[in-house]
Amino acid sequence: MSQPSLAPFVLKRQWLTRWMKPLANWYANASGYRKLGLRADDLIPEENDTVMLAIKRLPPKEAYDRVFRMRRAFQLSLSHQLLPKEEHTKPEEDVPYLTPLIEEIEAELKEREDLEAMVITKPTTQKKHGPKMYH
Amino acid sequence: MLSRSALRRGALRCQFAQPVQKRYLAEAASGSFQYQTGDASGVKIASRDLAGPTTTLALVSKAGTRYQLLPGLTEGLEKFAFRGTERRSALRIVRESELLGAELESYHSRENLVIGAKFLRDDLPYFVELLAEVASSTKYLPHVYTEEVLPLIKLAHKKFLASPKAIALSSAHSLAFHRGLGTPVSPASATPYTKYLAADTIEYFAQFAYAKPNFAIVANGAEHADLSKWVNEFFGGVSAKAPEDLLQSVRDKQTKYYGGEERIAHGSGNSLVLAFPGSSSFTGGFYKPEIQVLASLLGGKSSIKWSSGFSLLSKAAASPGTSVETKSAIYSDAGLLYININGTAENVSATAIEAVKTLHSIAGGKISAEDIKKAKAAAKFQELETGQDITAGLELTGSGLTHGSKAYQLDETAKAIEGVTDAQVKAAAKTLLESKATVSAVGDLFLLPYAEDLGLKV
């Protein structure tokens, strides 16, 4: 689910991005989900229609990988273990694979809302040549 | 906020730029319903400006089930029409069309895929642009296929299975023509969409269907110059050539008639189809106007609602509830003359035996000249009415353009029917009985007859 975020504000200003990047990286690592082999998008709460639809729209391989990562993470959590260092999610692998789909679905819903709220007005400009003659 | 004025801006702008159009009553009333053909940036166009406030516009593509690369692709491509394109979503297309007061439709037949719209005259540029977008920039996304297209295909499949008539006709065509024209129009089993259909295969087929040499734009109720101008403007982005088709020679080769017999058990309803090699289209090389006259002589359907009619087969029908229909199905290079009988199993059997007896009597010359004259008049009327009818005329013209660069020649076919003699009709009936027939029986097979019981050769 896309929540209000300062990220676009920061990313637009390169000086701010450069300043905040190291802090952001430290935070993502410190969150610990990477040590369980998860990606950031695996953590998105899925108990709503939008995310459920986004998950249905995932390509088969992505869906399978997601389920595998979650099962592995549950098992680790159950046995109070972490993955060995080599198997931690690398920062390059931690791509937002689900967020673009969620944003697409939200854009579709918003478009529907906008169209529903549309107000139709008659064209105000007069036709210069009079009504069309039909036989 | 989208306001109607924003949507109509394009249409209004074009209106101001042109002087008032004068439509001359004399042109439309001259009696000829011929289409004017032309070429706009490589795209074949045809238009006929019949007076009226609406326009019907269609993109007729040579992508019917005959030309599909794999089973089910035509159906999939038809259902993908008017889905989201690069520029706008499916919802927006539908809402905008609704606001303009238009109807969108897409359907396919054995040889053509027709994507069209009916709208008010002023909105011509909008819909030419829409068709161009459908042809060149539809997004064939997997989730659109799974969520929106596949349920419709499954529905078409169920509808087909529920209708013995559709099954019988499909079976007759398959027996008669094997591949090509014999491919079922609706999916007859789940195999097409479980095994062959996917969003990317449909996208690949779209490159064939929407390549410039393979489709034509046909308009009814639009000025030729206008249509030409807008097609020039919007259809530039459509690909000029289809990808190399390794099976093209197989698909384009002359259809051959085979014939045979098939019996399919069905629980609800009975349908029997007796089919014979028929006439191709006028430009097809095997045009036989006597087949059309023979079809209307056999008849079966009445133009009067409360009477079963007085054609030979309607008199031969075993009961008022038995419906008999004779049709000369004309395709670009082949045709099928079929008699379709529906009703209870006993009545269908009885009517079929009578129908074959009627054919024998025509071949033996025992039909009066007056009957044949009536049949000729009915056939001519049917022909002219079909040409005049907007939907049928659009498809026929588009098909003619894509198959042979010649629009449907209504006057010539009507003249040819006029010139049919009694001897030709008799000879045609005789040839039918001597050639290999196609018999499809669907329903209660215990009662439905075999071809041998009817005396037909298969």
Side-chain angles (χ1 to χ4, degrees):
Chain A
M1 203 67 141
S2 16
Q3 59 278 356
S5 164
L6 282 174
F9 178 86
V10 170
L11 288 167
K12 254 190 247 158
R13 292 152 180 78
Q14 229 215 357
W15 57 273
L16 201 53
T17 311
R18 260 185 293 128
W19 190 72
M20 297 226 57
K21 210 57 166 127
L23 189 65
N25 288 337
W26 175 85
Y27 180 77
N29 281 317
S31 311
Y33 62 85
R34 290 184 181 168
K35 299 197 182 85
L36 292 174
L38 289 169
R39 295 185 184 177
D41 274 7
D42 295 340
L43 303 174
I44 299 175
E46 61 179 67
E47 287 82 9
N48 56 68
D49 292 325
T50 314
V51 181
M52 288 209 302
L53 185 58
I55 294 170
K56 282 201 192 98
R57 289 187 182 184
L58 278 175
K61 182 176 183 305
E62 291 286 343
Y64 180 86
D65 286 346
R66 176 193 155 89
V67 170
F68 169 76
R69 284 195 300 273
M70 287 198 164
R71 286 183 159 187
R72 184 175 57 181
F74 274 126
Q75 183 56 35
L76 289 167
S77 163
L78 191 60
S79 53
H80 293 280
Q81 283 178 1
L82 295 177
L83 284 174
K85 196 110 191 348
E86 316 80 67
E87 292 182 37
H88 288 187
T89 314
K90 317 256 177 322
E92 316 78 69
E93 283 174 359
D94 194 0
V95 296
Y97 64 93
L98 198 59
T99 320
L101 290 170
I102 295 173
E103 280 165 5
E104 225 176 73
I105 294 169
E106 290 195 331
E108 282 171 22
L109 291 173
K110 181 166 182 301
E111 185 188 39
R112 185 176 279 269
E113 292 290 324
D114 284 345
L115 285 170
E116 305 262 320
M118 183 165 53
V119 171
I120 301 167
T121 55
K122 273 190 137 162
T124 48
T125 47
Q126 288 298 317
K127 292 191 199 149
K128 293 199 179 96
H129 298 285
K132 272 200 177 277
M133 301 299 284
Y134 296 125
H135 293 284
Chain B
M1 293 277 207
L2 296 165
S3 68
R4 191 180 179 149
S5 59
L7 291 166
R8 295 284 300 270
R9 213 180 295 133
L12 282 174
R13 216 183 302 144
C14 94
Q15 227 177 304
F16 291 149
Q18 293 162 13
V20 170
Q21 315 295 345
K22 285 203 185 71
R23 266 168 292 286
Y24 297 99
L25 193 57
E27 264 175 32
S30 68
S32 167
F33 291 98
Q34 302 284 42
Y35 280 82
Q36 264 182 294
T37 55
D39 193 291
S41 61
V43 177
K44 298 184 263 280
I45 59 173
S47 75
R48 174 169 84 179
D49 195 3
L50 293 183
T54 62
T55 303
T56 309
L57 180 70
L59 185 153
V60 181
S61 166
K62 192 174 149 185
T65 47
R66 176 180 179 176
Y67 300 104
Q68 62 188 6
L69 308 169
L70 289 172
L73 280 183
T74 302
E75 187 99 28
L77 190 59
E78 177 217 323
K79 308 282 190 259
F80 252 108
F82 305 119
R83 300 280 165 210
T85 67
E86 312 266 329
R87 260 191 60 204
R88 42 189 158 170
S89 67
L91 179 68
R92 204 167 130 213
I93 292 175
V94 168
R95 290 289 170 102
E96 288 179 348
S97 304
E98 278 176 355
L99 280 175
L100 293 174
E103 261 178 51
L104 299 172
E105 61 172 353
S106 62
Y107 65 91
H108 72 277
S109 64
R110 279 179 198 274
E111 297 199 301
N112 305 302
L113 173 66
V114 180
I115 312 231
K118 296 186 226 178
F119 47 90
L120 297 171
R121 265 186 191 261
D122 299 340
D123 302 327
L124 182 65
Y126 176 87
F127 285 96
V128 176
E129 185 178 19
L130 179 62
L131 285 184
E133 258 183 54
V134 168
S136 61
S137 53
T138 307
K139 288 199 280 195
Y140 297 92
L141 297 170
H143 70 84
V144 174
Y145 170 72
T146 320
E147 289 166 21
E148 297 178 35
V149 171
L150 190 56
L152 292 174
I153 298 180
K154 286 187 179 157
L155 204 63
H157 176 207
K158 287 209 168 78
K159 190 171 159 201
F160 174 80
L161 288 179
S163 159
K165 179 174 172 182
I167 298 177
L169 282 175
S170 174
S171 153
H173 280 87
S174 298
L175 287 167
F177 300 120
H178 288 196
R179 297 179 194 278
L181 279 174
T183 319
V185 176
S186 310
S189 78
T191 320
Y193 51 83
T194 49
K195 190 168 164 190
Y196 296 108
L197 273 190
D200 47 1
T201 34
I202 298 176
E203 184 167 13
Y204 186 67
F205 183 53
Q207 292 174 10
F208 288 87
Y210 298 134
K212 278 185 189 169
N214 287 338
F215 70 87
I217 307 285
V218 192
N220 203 74
E223 301 227 347
H224 194 78
D226 274 350
L227 184 66
S228 211
K229 182 172 112 184
W230 295 118
V231 168
N232 260 320
E233 179 157 343
F234 294 122
F235 273 84
V238 174
S239 62
K241 220 161 59 88
E244 191 204 334
D245 181 5
L246 304 162
L247 294 174
Q248 183 154 16
S249 55
V250 170
R251 253 195 300 289
D252 276 351
K253 75 171 183 207
Q254 172 63 42
T255 311
K256 188 166 168 268
Y257 175 85
Y258 294 89
E261 182 178 10
E262 188 171 14
R263 295 165 69 77
I264 302 169
H266 200 280
S268 55
N270 302 280
S271 185
L272 187 67
V273 168
L274 311 169
F276 307 93
S279 146
S280 77
S281 70
F282 188 72
T283 46
F286 297 95
Y287 182 60
K288 297 191 204 92
E290 55 265 26
I291 296 284
Q292 272 176 287
V293 176
L294 187 56
S296 104
L297 176 62
L298 288 165
K301 281 253 164 291
S302 164
S303 52
I304 308 169
K305 237 185 349 183
W306 51 88
S307 150
S308 56
F310 296 98
S311 49
L312 297 174
L313 282 185
S314 45
K315 284 186 259 182
S319 83
T322 314
S323 91
V324 189
E325 185 193 11
T326 316
K327 189 155 181 281
S328 162
I330 293 185
Y331 305 108
S332 61
D333 60 354
L336 203 65
L337 170 65
Y338 64 81
I339 303 169
N340 182 12
I341 309 165
N342 300 296
T344 61
E346 305 88 352
N347 288 338
V348 167
S349 312
T351 314
I353 297 171
E354 286 300 317
V356 178
K357 274 202 209 130
T358 314
L359 257 180
H360 277 289
S361 66
I362 299 176
K366 296 196 206 81
I367 303 297
S368 68
E370 199 189 306
D371 273 337
I372 299 187
K373 211 165 105 184
K374 275 197 277 186
K376 267 169 60 176
K380 191 170 165 210
F381 176 75
Q382 271 300 110
E383 184 71 21
L384 287 171
E385 204 195 6
T386 314
Q388 183 187 323
D389 173 48
I390 296 177
T391 329
L394 277 181
E395 192 187 338
L396 284 169
T397 308
S399 177
L401 283 175
T402 49
H403 285 95
S405 299
K406 218 171 165 208
Y408 186 60
Q409 306 294 24
L410 190 57
D411 291 346
E412 293 180 32
T413 45
K415 236 191 296 175
I417 293 177
E418 266 299 302
V420 169
T421 63
D422 294 9
Q424 278 176 321
V425 176
K426 183 174 150 193
K430 200 147 174 287
T431 328
L432 290 192
L433 287 168
E434 282 162 9
S435 66
K436 204 167 169 206
T438 306
V439 178
S440 288
V442 175
D444 182 358
L445 297 182
F446 179 64
L447 293 169
L448 290 174
Y450 278 85
E452 215 180 278
D453 302 336
L454 297 171
L456 292 171
K457 264 201 305 181
V458 278

